Amino acid sequence: MDPTLEAISAEEYDRLTSLYGPLTDAVRDLIDATIRTDADENTLREARAAIAAVTDALRAGQLRTRPEVRIGADGRPVVWSNAVIGLRNPIAPPLTVNHDAPGRCWSEFSLGAAYEGPPGLVHGGVCALVLDHMLGEAASEGLTKPLFTGTITVRYLRGTPLGELRAEAEIDRAEAVKTFVRGHLSDASGITAEAEGVFVRPSWAREAS
Amino acid sequence: MDPTLEAISAEEYDRLTSLYGPLTDAVRDLIDATIRTDADENTLREARAAIAAVTDALRAGQLRTRPEVRIGADGRPVVWSNAVIGLRNPIAPPLTVNHDAPGRCWSEFSLGAAYEGPPGLVHGGVCALVLDHMLGEAASEGLTKPLFTGTITVRYLRGTPLGELRAEAEIDRAEAVKTFVRGHLSDASGITAEAEGVFVRPSWAREAS
């Protein structure tokens, strides 16, 4: 299953973002309402029917069956469906990742009820998901270099509360085909979880670089 | 923010599951359609308006603002919003976790477009999310023991394809307040990622046990 590779202009990127972004945001709101509602049985039944009708309408158009990779004007892949940063993926918070130096990045974002594990706290696995992504962004310098995650270790210092959070990641060192990256997740009171990852350049990309 | 603790009967559990389950499933379908649709601009605009109307209707009822923990008839917590197993959380695949022996569990589940990282593959962080949850289930014997994740390490052997997957986890050994757990994720061709975790009994739970 080869992805479709296609370069798009900044204008096209903006057009697609304004086309799909509001729909995806609306589904994010719906996810939150679905988890938290105390509506009566009748409202729930009507909601379900209305949602099914929207799904049918969206599926009446052709559905994307092959993964799609487009390359933006800045050389970064445009990732619609990515589970952490995908602009078209309602599951993604989404994170906006800022690269402030080569091999270093940060993101500030908010995690609501959909990301809960223990009551009131972010699921430990969601912390790992976010940290894995951020470490990968740092290692690959914004997903512009082909790299696979070899290993990631997450140390939980305390529970991460739902709400406003920040994640940072930075390349520690590189040795041959391996890149070592560190990062952490924090709330207003400080670091809640730390991570270390080893990223590996795939063999097919070694000759090319 | 203390969670609400409430015990519910098996009948009440079934009633709530049949009330909220179909709505949550409908939102899961909508998430997939949102990512994959190629519908025209007009359909997207109408979809967005219809979704916003449903969200408003769900929010017109009182919204749950405090985390809720209910204890089912089998002593397991009923977790509505958990990001991996929550029956009311459209972000959760959800996993149904089977405990076949004390400290050992497995789950078979499917991950679609919403869980994508590299094209056609599960996001590495989603693998970590699932493994973190499964290790925690094994360590806590089905979330019946209070435990916090200390550390988790995930080793990626190869990319995990989207589709049908299986996860397993098992307690390796216990030492004082620490429980060591191992697990893995596999597709039809074998293991794709392995994990080790150290879980710690919180100090408030040590005297009670």
Side-chain angles (χ1 to χ4, degrees):
Chain A
M1 181 157 74
D2 287 333
T4 305
L5 272 166
E6 190 184 339
I8 60 171
S9 66
E11 290 71 27
E12 179 67 356
Y13 177 82
D14 289 345
R15 189 187 73 81
L16 290 170
T17 300
S18 67
L19 186 60
Y20 294 117
L23 172 64
T24 314
D25 281 341
V27 180
R28 288 190 183 106
D29 282 346
L30 176 63
I31 290 169
D32 183 77
T34 299
I35 296 172
R36 297 170 61 217
T37 187
D38 271 336
D40 60 38
E41 198 160 340
N42 202 40
T43 305
L44 296 179
R45 198 176 305 114
E46 285 174 7
R48 177 189 169 195
I51 292 164
V54 173
T55 301
D56 287 346
L58 292 176
R59 287 187 168 160
Q62 202 184 350
L63 281 183
R64 185 173 70 85
T65 52
R66 302 176 55 176
E68 221 178 341
V69 177
R70 301 183 184 207
I71 307 299
D74 60 356
R76 287 198 60 177
V78 175
V79 278
W80 296 128
S81 64
N82 185 286
V84 176
I85 60 169
L87 288 175
R88 286 190 57 179
N89 188 342
I91 282 189
L95 262 63
T96 302
V97 182
N98 306 282
H99 293 264
D100 54 4
R104 198 175 71 188
C105 62
W106 60 273
S107 181
E108 287 179 351
F109 53 96
S110 182
L111 297 181
Y115 303 95
E116 197 173 55
L121 299 177
V122 178
H123 192 296
V126 172
C127 298
L129 166 65
V130 166
L131 285 165
D132 172 273
H133 189 88
M134 291 296 289
L135 265 55
E137 288 264 355
S140 64
E141 296 186 9
L143 310 181
T144 60
K145 294 182 174 180
L147 281 179
F148 282 98
T149 316
T151 313
I152 182 170
T153 298
V154 181
R155 256 183 314 279
Y156 298 89
L157 308 183
R158 60 182 167 91
T160 301
L162 293 175
E164 300 296 325
L165 299 168
R166 182 183 168 95
E168 296 179 26
E170 183 166 26
I171 291 179
D172 186 47
R173 65 191 192 282
E175 291 171 11
V177 298
K178 292 185 178 176
T179 303
F180 297 80
V181 189
R182 292 172 181 276
H184 63 255
L185 189 64
S186 58
D187 66 3
S189 307
I191 296 178
T192 61
E194 297 173 331
E196 287 172 27
V198 184
F199 293 80
V200 184
R201 197 156 70 232
S203 54
W204 58 262
R206 287 175 200 169
E207 288 194 4
S209 68
Chain B
M1 179 158 75
D2 287 331
T4 305
L5 272 166
E6 190 184 339
I8 60 170
S9 65
E11 291 71 29
E12 178 66 357
Y13 177 82
D14 288 345
R15 189 187 74 81
L16 291 169
T17 300
S18 66
L19 187 61
Y20 294 117
L23 171 64
T24 315
D25 282 339
V27 180
R28 289 191 182 105
D29 282 345
L30 176 64
I31 289 169
D32 182 77
T34 300
I35 296 172
R36 297 170 61 216
T37 188
D38 271 336
D40 60 38
E41 198 159 341
N42 203 40
T43 305
L44 295 178
R45 198 177 304 113
E46 285 174 7
R48 177 189 169 195
I51 292 164
V54 173
T55 302
D56 286 347
L58 292 176
R59 286 186 168 160
Q62 201 183 352
L63 281 183
R64 185 173 69 86
T65 51
R66 302 176 57 178
E68 222 178 338
V69 176
R70 299 184 184 206
I71 307 299
D74 59 356
R76 288 197 59 177
V78 176
V79 277
W80 296 128
S81 64
N82 185 285
V84 176
I85 59 168
L87 289 174
R88 285 190 58 178
N89 189 342
I91 282 189
L95 261 62
T96 302
V97 183
N98 306 283
H99 293 264
D100 53 4
R104 198 174 72 188
C105 61
W106 60 273
S107 182
E108 287 180 350
F109 53 94
S110 181
L111 296 182
Y115 303 95
E116 196 175 55
L121 299 177
V122 179
H123 193 297
V126 171
C127 297
L129 166 63
V130 166
L131 285 165
D132 173 272
H133 188 86
M134 291 296 289
L135 265 56
E137 288 265 356
S140 65
E141 297 186 9
L143 310 180
T144 59
K145 294 182 173 178
L147 282 178
F148 282 99
T149 316
T151 313
I152 181 170
T153 298
V154 181
R155 258 184 314 280
Y156 298 89
L157 308 184
R158 61 182 166 92
T160 301
L162 293 175
E164 300 296 324
L165 298 168
R166 181 182 169 96
E168 296 178 26
E170 182 166 28
I171 292 179
D172 185 47
R173 64 192 193 281
E175 291 171 9
V177 298
K178 292 185 179 174
T179 303
F180 298 79
V181 189
R182 291 171 181 276
H184 63 255
L185 190 63
S186 57
D187 66 3
S189 307
I191 296 178
T192 62
E194 297 173 331
E196 287 173 27
V198 183
F199 293 79
V200 184
R201 198 156 69 230
S203 54
W204 58 262
R206 287 175 199 169
E207 288 193 4
S209 66

